[in-house]
Amino acid sequence: MKPNLKKFKIPSKKTLPVDDFIEKILYEPEIGYYSRKDPFGKNGDFITSPTISNLFSEIIGIWLVSAWEKMGKPKIFNFVELGPGDGSLTKVIISTLKKFPELNKAIKIYLYEKSIFLKVIQKQNIDNKHIKWIKNFKSIKKGPVIFFGNEFFDAIPIKQFSNINNEWFEKCYVVKNNIDVIEKFVRSKKKDVAQIMNFGTLKKLKFIEFPKKGFLELNPIINKISELSGGILLIDYGYLNINNSNTIQAVMNNKRISTRTMLKNLGNADITSLVNFNLLKEYFLKNNLKVKKIVTQRFFLERMGIIERAHILEKKKNNVEQIYMKETLSRLLEEKQMGSLFKVIFGYKNKNNDFFGFE
Ligand SMILES: C[S@@+](CC[C@H](N)C(=O)[O-])C[C@H]1O[C@@H](n2cnc3c(N)ncnc32)[C@H](O)[C@@H]1O
């Protein structure tokens, strides 16, 4: 049965760019995908690295310790998790940092989450005495700040543009009779075209995906890093070589579904897109952040010692637990699983350039 789109407050016959349309489908209060269900884990629609294995989150915690050391062990050190999902990562980070008392005293942990529904789940899952949920970064006034997001950037809807006979058109959706969704290309706004053409990474393409909303989210983050020093570590499903493709994908019950099925199941499927890592790098550089070499998730986790850590933990586990740990580790590291599809980027402002995980 097709959904009645009235619930999403999308007026009939209104032409909405792809990013505005998807945002409503994902976040419309009470009815949007992220506004009414916990999509994570085996019984949800997808599994993310922190929900696959605590080892992933522990390694991010260890990286955080190393970044604090590289920054000269400041007495105040801020950590902001962007889009924390069900709170799995920060929960593990809190317990990992207990083993590092000096940093544990210095650290202030913040969670930045758009979905009111997920905030409730995060509050249930995390011992939140020492954590603040924030809507912007104004309350972070002192000390370097590290922002971290796993599958944060790919969850922010993108724009899509197509060049037809040397003219740019934007992909939009139109809702008919509150039920049918029809794809339509409309002439692009001049200021959007001007913005896109500013990026060397996008030159020569005939089909462009552009994270306008994602960049708007990054602006206050970059400003905070420029003001206080620190950086942003992002891990996402993404690519380096661009090839004019439509990368928007939908997942329901742990399976990829077609655009047609997605349009029939609006509000019941997660919708993401692949992150263009070279474009992200160009954006950081344009905004005066330095950027470490973009590496795969496998490279980063191995450099940070995930295999050695797994060997230590293995000794304390029974046979069944050992097999489970091996399986989850290979999901994180195997080339054909998350190992190379997921990439890691670190944009930063600091005197020291020698951060672990990238060389
Ligand atoms: C794909 S989930 C990833 C969750 C978690 N990081 C993980 O790896 O399990 C995306 C998360 O980002 C949040 N999110 C998406 N757009 C956001 C925005 N503009 N501001 C804050 N949170 C956002 C979602 O609500 C959700 O918590």
Side-chain angles (χ1 to χ4, degrees), residues 172-190:
C172 298
Y173 286 116
V174 187
V175 173
K176 291 254 160 85
N177 308 321
N178 290 313
I179 288 182
D180 287 318
V181 181
I182 291 157
E183 196 181 292
K184 182 179 166 189
F185 278 86
V186 300
R187 203 161 267 125
S188 305
K189 289 185 188 140
K190 279 194 182 128

Side-chain angles (χ1 to χ4, degrees), residues 228-241:
L228 297 176
S229 85
I232 172 165
L233 181 70
L234 292 175
I235 303 186
D236 255 304
Y237 195 176
Y239 58 90
L240 295 173
N241 299 320

Side-chain angles (χ1 to χ4, degrees), residues 27 34 40 48 50 83-85 112-114 118 150-152 155 217:
Y27 293 102
Y34 281 106
F40 306 98
T48 57
Y112 179 72
E113 172 58 64
K114 185 182 176 97
L118 287 179
N150 184 64
E151 295 206 50
F152 166 73
E217 280 291 340

Side-chain angles (χ1 to χ4, degrees), residues 184-356:
K184 182 179 166 189
F185 278 86
V186 300
R187 203 161 267 125
S188 305
K189 289 185 188 140
K190 279 194 182 128
K191 64 174 196 278
D192 283 342
V193 176
Q195 190 186 15
I196 292 165
M197 289 303 129
N198 238 330
F199 291 91
T201 318
L202 302 175
K203 292 240 161 88
K204 297 192 187 146
L205 289 173
K206 292 284 176 205
F207 179 81
I208 287 180
E209 298 197 323
F210 190 72
K212 188 171 178 171
K213 286 186 192 296
F215 284 165
L216 287 174
E217 280 291 340
L218 288 183
N219 290 345
I221 293 173
I222 293 171
N223 288 343
K224 212 19 98 176
I225 295 170
S226 308
E227 180 194 338
L228 297 176
S229 85
I232 172 165
L233 181 70
L234 292 175
I235 303 186
D236 255 304
Y237 195 176
Y239 58 90
L240 295 173
N241 299 320
I242 200 160
N243 69 353
N244 289 305
S245 344
N246 170 8
T247 73
I248 291 184
Q249 55 186 24
V251 176
M252 201 164 70
N253 302 328
N254 274 300
K255 284 203 189 83
R256 287 273 296 275
I257 55 170
S258 66
T259 308
R260 226 171 122 221
T261 315
M262 170 189 99
L263 290 175
K264 283 186 188 151
N265 286 280
L266 293 173
N268 294 320
D270 187 31
I271 308 170
T272 58
S273 57
L274 301 193
V275 172
N276 178 344
F277 271 83
N278 278 323
L279 178 63
L280 202 49
K281 177 176 173 182
E282 193 179 348
Y283 196 72
F284 287 152
L285 292 173
K286 268 189 198 306
N287 285 283
N288 302 318
L289 294 188
K290 296 188 260 184
V291 182
K292 297 296 292 180
K293 192 176 96 195
I294 299 164
V295 294
T296 63
Q297 170 161 300
R298 177 184 188 137
F299 185 98
F300 180 81
L301 294 177
E302 286 189 351
R303 280 289 189 281
M304 289 309 301
I306 196 166
I307 307 260
E308 292 78 359
R309 181 69 185 139
H311 286 322
I312 294 171
L313 292 175
E314 208 175 45
K315 291 182 189 135
K316 298 179 197 153
K317 298 201 181 288
N318 65 33
N319 269 1
V320 177
E321 289 169 336
Q322 282 182 6
I323 291 169
Y324 182 71
M325 200 168 81
K326 275 205 182 95
E327 273 173 16
T328 52
L329 199 60
S330 65
R331 276 197 83 163
L332 295 179
L333 299 180
E334 283 296 317
E335 298 280 318
K336 288 206 172 110
Q337 302 209 42
M338 298 169 105
S340 64
L341 297 174
F342 280 71
K343 315 269 186 303
V344 187
I345 189 168
F346 183 51
Y348 64 101
K349 184 187 164 199
N350 194 254
K351 280 188 272 192
N352 197 340
N353 298 308
D354 177 28
F355 293 94
F356 284 138

Side-chain angles (χ1 to χ4, degrees), residues 120-136:
V120 174
I121 294 184
Q122 291 156 16
K123 287 182 183 174
Q124 284 162 359
N125 283 348
I126 307 175
D127 166 18
N128 58 32
K129 276 191 282 280
H130 307 293
I131 292 184
K132 274 195 190 138
W133 276 260
I134 46 175
K135 288 193 177 133
N136 56 53

